[in-house]
């Protein structure tokens, strides 16, 4: 049986303009910026796949989900992983079902073979009935074929394509080139309407130039402060606006530190929710230090963050002494125990004369108040140790995050958000 190819439709018009994309996405709780809205609009008009790269938690997967929700399209998702073979991506023959049918139809098969007297003749006869068992009834489509065969237009999310082997990438290329899939026993399926295809990558390996060439490419970075605040608002975290604004600044400051894993948008959201649950209305370094493990997932990151928090919460806290008391930690959060603060204040100054007026002093105090001996592993000590002042914050590094997106790996080529 051959499936007649059906020509793909011209580009569907789900959006009138980039502004229309921004509006439709905002309705779904996804906050775009100009660049993102424009690229999404263009992909919808050109029916070209969109390749999203960027660190973890910046909204790559969410963009595809939102695109589906905003256009009313069904979302089909191919989650890529190492060693995945194409049958899990394209289609499989439903062997179990084929077997069941042959069992049930045993009598019929016997009739079919009744007048054959040699094995060869019987095999020839069975072969002639192949098509009965290799037809669409026994086809188990996987996401790629399903996207092509779908009667309704769909969004196809090929998530974490960098984890897939190159062989699967080749299969993808073929599919993306023409929006068609060939099944040798059946023929070629061609999409009635080109799906919106969104591919995401965390850059664990370089994707082929051929794949990149076929896609519109967008590097998603951490949002600017306004957009991140807007995202927080849209998530209704329960944290007051002023505190949320402050939190966004703190998180951006943390991203500027040399952390192994920079906090992502989802972690900002989690932190806001955590603070809201604790009933926090005003941020201070102590409550942030108590909850920083929501955003810092490695011991070393937790320590570095804690050291930096006082100065991130209050950038003016460069003057020790009386002003320091002003943003002391214990008073507004009775439920948290910050024993030892005032005591630490009195003797921590002067230990490191070269940093005497540096905001890092605050970090040392906070850390000292919470630290217990022997917490740090060697690697942390080797990189400066907890008693050292934290590195001066770099201008908020929007492009850093996972190993693969660490500044060192990307040279100076990181783009800034528009
Ligand atoms: N622009 C945005 N507007 C609203 N929420 C967002 C936005 N970007 C990210 N988020 C939030 O961040 C969460 C994480 O996003 P998502 O899972 O898409 O990240 P990702 O880039 O796919 O990360 P990973 O590489 O780890 O898969 C989402 O569930 C969503 O709540
Ligand atoms: Mg994802």
């Amino acid at each position: 049986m051959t499936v007649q190819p059906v020509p793909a439709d011209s580009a569907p018009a789900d959006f009138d303009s980039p502004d229309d994309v921004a509006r439709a996405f905002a309705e779904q709780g996804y906050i775009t910026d100009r660049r993102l809205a424009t690229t999404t609009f263009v992909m919808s008009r050109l029916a070209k796949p969109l390749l999203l790269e960027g660190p973890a938690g910046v909204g790559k997967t969410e963009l595809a989900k939102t695109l589906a929700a905003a256009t009313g399209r069904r979302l089909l998702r191919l989650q890529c992983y190492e060693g995945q073979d194409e049958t899990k991506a394209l289609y499989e023959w439903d062997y179990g079902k084929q077997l069941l049918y042959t069992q049930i139809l045993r009598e019929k098969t016997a009739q079919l073979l009744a007048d054959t007297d040699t094995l060869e003749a019987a095999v020839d006869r069975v072969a002639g009935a192949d098509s009965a068992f290799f037809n669409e009834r026994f086809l188990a489509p996987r996401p790629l074929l399903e996207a092509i065969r779908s009667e309704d237009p769909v969004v196809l999310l090929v998530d974490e394509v960098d984890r897939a082997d190159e062989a699967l990438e080749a299969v993808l290329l073929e599919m993306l080139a023409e929006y068609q899939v060939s099944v040798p026993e059946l023929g070629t399926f061609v999409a009635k309407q080109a799906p919106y295809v969104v591919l995401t990558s965390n850059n664990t390996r370089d994707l082929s130039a051929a794949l990149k060439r076929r896609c519109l490419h967008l590097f998603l970075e951490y949002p600017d402060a306004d957009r991140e605040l807007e995202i927080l608002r849209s998530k209704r975290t329960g944290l007051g606006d002023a505190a949320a604004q402050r939190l966004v600044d703190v998180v951006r400051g943390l991203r500027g530190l040399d952390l192994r894993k920079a906090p992502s948008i989802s972690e900002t959201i989690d932190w806001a929710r955590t603070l809201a649950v604790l009933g926090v209305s005003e941020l201070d370094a102590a409550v942030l230090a108590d909850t920083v493990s929501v955003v810092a997932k490695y011991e070393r990151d937790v320590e570095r963050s804690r050291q930096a928090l006082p100065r991130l919460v209050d950038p003016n806290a460069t003057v020790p002494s009386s002003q320091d008391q002003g943003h002391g930690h214990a008073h507004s959060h009775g439920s948290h125990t910050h024993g030892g603060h005032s005591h630490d204040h009195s003797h921590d100054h002067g230990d490191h004369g070269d940093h005497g007026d540096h905001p890092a002093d605050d970090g040392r105090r906070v850390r000292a108040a919470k630290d217990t001996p022997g917490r740090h592993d060697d690697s942390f000590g080797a990189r400066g140790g907890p008693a050292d002042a934290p590195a001066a914050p770099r201008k908020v590094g929007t492009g850093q995050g996972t190993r693969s997106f660490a500044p060192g790996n990307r040279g100076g080529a990181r783009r800034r958000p528009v």
Side-chain angles (χ1 to χ4, degrees), residues 340-351:
H341 275 241
S342 53
H343 177 69
D344 288 332
H345 279 234
S346 61
H347 66 71
D348 205 26
H349 295 293
D351 284 356

Side-chain angles (χ1 to χ4, degrees), residues 76-413:
L76 296 172
R77 178 171 185 166
L78 176 66
Q79 185 68 46
C80 299
Y81 55 88
E82 215 178 308
Q84 187 175 31
D85 78 76
E86 64 176 58
T87 58
K88 295 280 178 278
L90 277 174
Y91 65 90
E92 289 175 276
W93 288 107
D94 189 341
Y95 178 64
K97 196 169 169 187
Q98 285 170 328
L99 207 60
L100 183 68
Y101 273 59
T102 37
Q103 292 292 323
I104 294 169
L105 298 172
R106 207 175 325 164
E107 260 180 46
K108 196 80 196 153
T109 319
Q111 279 173 24
L112 180 75
L113 301 178
D115 62 342
T116 57
D117 39 18
T118 65
L119 186 61
E120 285 77 13
V123 168
D124 282 347
R125 185 70 59 83
V126 171
D130 256 6
S131 58
F133 285 93
F134 287 98
N135 69 27
E136 282 191 76
R137 188 192 306 278
F138 298 106
L139 191 65
R142 300 301 172 218
L144 298 187
L145 181 58
E146 211 180 333
I148 295 299
R149 279 204 330 167
S150 174
E151 287 295 318
D152 305 315
V154 298
V155 173
L156 172 64
L157 166 62
V158 182
D159 214 11
E160 305 186 356
V161 64
D162 50 324
R163 292 183 195 279
D165 299 331
E166 278 161 29
L168 189 66
E169 205 177 303
V171 169
L172 261 175
L173 271 176
E174 212 180 309
M175 180 260 182
L176 295 178
E178 311 276 343
Y179 290 125
Q180 64 178 39
V181 168
S182 293
V183 180
E185 296 86 348
L186 296 182
T188 301
F189 293 94
V190 182
K192 288 186 176 153
Q193 285 206 54
Y196 291 149
V197 183
V198 178
L199 304 107
T200 78
S201 165
N202 280 72
N203 213 17
T204 56
R205 73 170 171 84
D206 279 341
L207 300 173
S208 74
L211 184 67
K212 287 195 167 184
R213 203 174 48 240
R214 276 174 180 77
C215 299
L216 293 171
H217 185 251
L218 186 66
F219 192 89
L220 268 190
E221 306 189 57
Y222 298 114
D224 62 26
D226 288 347
R227 187 156 75 94
E228 193 152 12
L229 182 60
E230 220 181 310
I231 291 171
L232 276 190
R233 283 189 190 125
S234 78
K235 298 294 173 192
R236 301 186 204 292
T237 60
L239 189 68
D241 221 38
Q245 196 153 8
R246 213 118 191 249
L247 185 69
V248 164
D249 289 340
V250 168
V251 171
R252 288 169 64 76
L254 292 180
R255 286 181 193 143
L257 301 176
D258 182 21
L259 300 184
R260 189 167 158 193
K261 162 77 180 67
S264 67
I265 300 175
S266 46
E267 281 148 351
T268 315
I269 297 167
D270 287 346
W271 209 1
R273 288 197 173 126
T274 302
L275 294 167
V277 163
L278 292 173
V280 173
S281 54
E282 255 181 63
L283 299 195
D284 64 35
V287 75
L288 291 176
D290 278 352
T291 51
V292 75
S293 52
V294 174
V295 295
K297 303 290 166 66
Y298 294 92
E299 179 69 12
R300 198 195 82 195
D301 288 356
V302 170
E303 287 309 319
R304 288 197 173 183
S305 304
R306 280 183 168 175
Q307 287 184 48
L309 278 171
R311 125 183 90 77
L312 295 176
V313 173
D314 184 359
N316 298 322
T318 51
V319 187
S321 75
S322 60
Q323 269 204 342
D324 271 354
Q325 320 274 340
H327 66 270
H329 322 291
H331 49 199
S332 57
H333 299 283
S335 59
H336 302 281
T337 45
H338 306 301
H341 275 241
S342 53
H343 177 69
D344 288 332
H345 279 234
S346 61
H347 66 71
D348 205 26
H349 295 293
D351 284 356
H352 308 273
D354 51 336
H355 299 300
D357 62 350
H358 192 278
D361 267 2
D362 301 67
R364 280 199 295 277
R365 273 196 302 280
V366 170
R367 186 200 52 70
K370 293 171 185 305
D371 203 12
T372 51
R375 289 185 60 196
H376 308 291
D377 59 19
D378 291 338
S379 61
F380 182 79
R383 296 191 55 140
D388 287 351
R394 278 178 270 126
K395 188 90 183 116
V396 174
T398 52
Q400 62 178 340
T402 60
R403 272 171 295 123
S404 356
F405 288 94
N409 289 347
R410 302 192 55 222

